[in-house]
Amino acid sequence: MGDFIPFLFNGLSISSILLLTAIGLSIVFGMMGVINFAHGEFIMIGCYSSYIVSLVLGSEGSWLTLLLAFILSFILSFGIGYLIERLVIRKLYARPLDSILATWGISLILQQLARNIFGSNNVDAPMPKILSKGWEVTEDITLPFNRIFIILFAVLVCLFVYYFIYKTPKGRILQAVMQNRSMASCIGINTKKADAFTFSFGCGLAGIAGICISMLGSVGPSTGQNYIIDTFLVVILGGIGGLRGTILGALLIGISSPFIENFTTSSMAKVIILSLVLIVLHYKPQGLSPMKDRTID
Amino acid sequence: MFEIKNLTAGYSNESSAIHNINISIPKNEICSIVGSNGAGKTTLLKSIMGLMPSKSGEIIFDGQDISKLDSEAISQLGVAYVPQGRMIFPYLSVEENLLLGCEVRKMNLKKALEIGYDYFPDLKEIRKRKGGMLSGGQQQQLAIARMLVIDPKMILLDEPAEGIQPNVVQEIGRILQKIALDLNVTVLLVEQFVSFAINLSQSYYFLQGGEITKESRVTKDNVHSIVKSIKL
Ligand SMILES: Nc1ncnc2c1ncn2[C@@H]1O[C@H](COP(=O)(O)OP(=O)(O)OP(=O)(O)O)[C@@H](O)[C@H]1O
Ligand SMILES: [Mg+2]
């Protein structure tokens, strides 16, 4: 039992980070059908946002700098996402393969841009002092506050996204566009505006995830790349289109990782997890929790 | 007055699904367009609604040519559409489907619900159910209600009687007449159920192979002979 708690905690911690990085991707992929290969770079933009805040306000971390970093990360990644949608993605909605290629190119450009602006070395972003401490559950077990914070924060972000998409008029408008584009425009919805907003919103959420990642260690131009594969895995395992699937996918991959890593190497664990995902997809090609209704069956 | 002048539209460059269509409907009247499968009825409504580009011709609504506008702009001018296949948003509830157009227009939602449930009381009982889970007839009622609550000036209906039990068809007919009179709405009704459509209408057009082959005003005296004369 004593061993079990750190494993579970580690798993939850990984899950929460996966969830934060995947939720924006899942919205863009699930609602718009656009595969955004630059999603990792929006995470990177978020990581650098907390660094930028520290450049301006000094490297002393506090709750205020953290709050400012969250706000800046969302604004920056939302804004850059909006620009990219207007300039590139919008022209490629009917051509999924081209949009994969284009977003991959954008990903490379953004990484290089980060190298030019911030240098290729990793940087550290400060966080509130208290978060670098931990909760000593027993003599051997200490749960770091920053990880507890990220778990709670992921829950909060999920609640917010759920509320926004399912309970507000604006969210319903986005849903309608994604469910039936031409009918949505026939009842007077501006579908181009909805597309731009959905894409930017997904990017903004990636930015927020970046802040959480910057709380765990140094970040650099390729930080986004380290997370993008697992993030895609979560979205595909969960099933496209629903928040529930993404949460389920993140929990499954996140919680099983430390247990599997326990009896093998971490690269072997990756192979095992990938195989498990493939097996699930073999039996459930739509993922664990796809959307369904009468019009489809 | 709603007017279509020399409208030609189609899905490919070589052939047109509808040719040289001329239609005019006086304000607040019901006009029906009847025709068999593949005659081009849906194509005509789609081009009015901006869902497919017209090759030539004009569509005059409220004194303005709307043939080059997109669906959103046409909807905002007050043209509402009940498509064939209803096109209910499957993952939104009945109530969310009903209110969406009102939310976009910042209209009073409580009043909209009252109007919608007043016309279709059955919808009230299933208001929490997802649109995709409704039966065909329920979806049809919802599609019409969704159109009514946005206070339209003109409505386009694509085969509202299709797959609906007879007494509900009669109910829909009564509602359409009531709307045209009470709400000052012009109605363009596309149907294959000839007697149902002609009996509601003040004028009709017969569409065959993408062209209008017959048209006339409908009066008490000629309604029976018109219905008899149309063989789909
Ligand atoms: N998406 C499409 N692409 C190519 N041709 C089409 C398309 N949709 C319809 N057509 C063709 O255009 C013609 C008119 O079709 P339309 O759907 O307007 O007929 P309709 O009168 O509505 O028939 P129904 O009563 O069966 O609904 C038909 O010959 C049809 O095959
Ligand atoms: Mg049709």
Side-chain angles (χ1 to χ4, degrees), chain A residues 102-117:
Chain A
T103 52
W104 187 51
I106 290 166
S107 143
L108 296 178
I109 293 171
L110 289 175
Q111 282 177 54
Q112 189 54 43
L113 220 56
R115 265 184 214 106
N116 291 353
I117 299 174

Side-chain angles (χ1 to χ4, degrees), chain B residues 38-87:
Chain B
K41 305 182 295 298
T42 299
T43 307
L44 175 62
L45 291 190
K46 277 186 181 168
S47 32
I48 296 173
M49 205 57 217
L51 290 173
M52 58 182 286
S54 52
K55 293 176 180 171
S56 62
E58 285 174 52
I59 302 168
I60 313 289
F61 172 70
D62 251 4
Q64 178 186 0
D65 181 9
I66 59 169
S67 65
K68 300 285 178 292
L69 299 182
D70 62 19
S71 313
E72 182 214 342
I74 293 168
S75 164
Q76 292 287 357
L77 285 176
V79 183
Y81 178 40
V82 176
Q84 199 167 18
R86 299 42 147 149
M87 304 294 171

Side-chain angles (χ1 to χ4, degrees), chain A residues 162-174:
Chain A
Y162 176 84
Y163 180 81
F164 175 72
I165 291 185
Y166 297 104
K167 300 289 171 200
T168 66
K170 180 116 195 165
R172 278 194 286 278
I173 287 173
L174 300 187

Side-chain angles (χ1 to χ4, degrees), chain B residues 11 17 35-44 84 158-159 192:
Chain B
Y11 297 89
S36 52
N37 292 129
K41 305 182 295 298
T42 299
T43 307
L44 175 62
Q84 199 167 18
D158 200 342
E159 302 199 31
Q192 294 195 53

Side-chain angles (χ1 to χ4, degrees), chain A residues 184-250:
Chain A
S185 64
C186 284
I187 64 170
I189 293 173
N190 185 336
T191 54
K192 290 201 174 106
K193 220 166 105 187
D195 284 334
F197 184 86
T198 306
F199 188 83
S200 328
F201 184 60
C203 295
L205 291 173
I208 286 182
I211 298 289
C212 292
I213 287 169
S214 74
M215 293 167 70
L216 297 172
S218 305
V219 293
S222 57
T223 301
Q225 292 296 304
N226 302 338
Y227 287 89
I228 193 69
I229 302 292
D230 287 345
T231 302
F232 267 109
L233 222 51
V234 166
V235 174
I236 293 167
L237 176 66
I240 292 160
L243 199 54
R244 195 171 35 160
T246 308
I247 295 173
L248 212 62

Side-chain angles (χ1 to χ4, degrees), chain A residues 147-192:
Chain A
R147 291 188 176 265
I148 296 178
F149 175 87
I150 293 173
I151 292 172
L152 295 178
F153 187 71
V155 174
L156 212 70
V157 168
C158 277
L159 289 175
F160 166 75
V161 169
Y162 176 84
Y163 180 81
F164 175 72
I165 291 185
Y166 297 104
K167 300 289 171 200
T168 66
K170 180 116 195 165
R172 278 194 286 278
I173 287 173
L174 300 187
Q175 282 188 73
V177 173
M178 305 315 154
Q179 289 169 31
N180 192 330
R181 181 168 300 269
S182 55
M183 196 58 219
S185 64
C186 284
I187 64 170
I189 293 173
N190 185 336
T191 54
K192 290 201 174 106

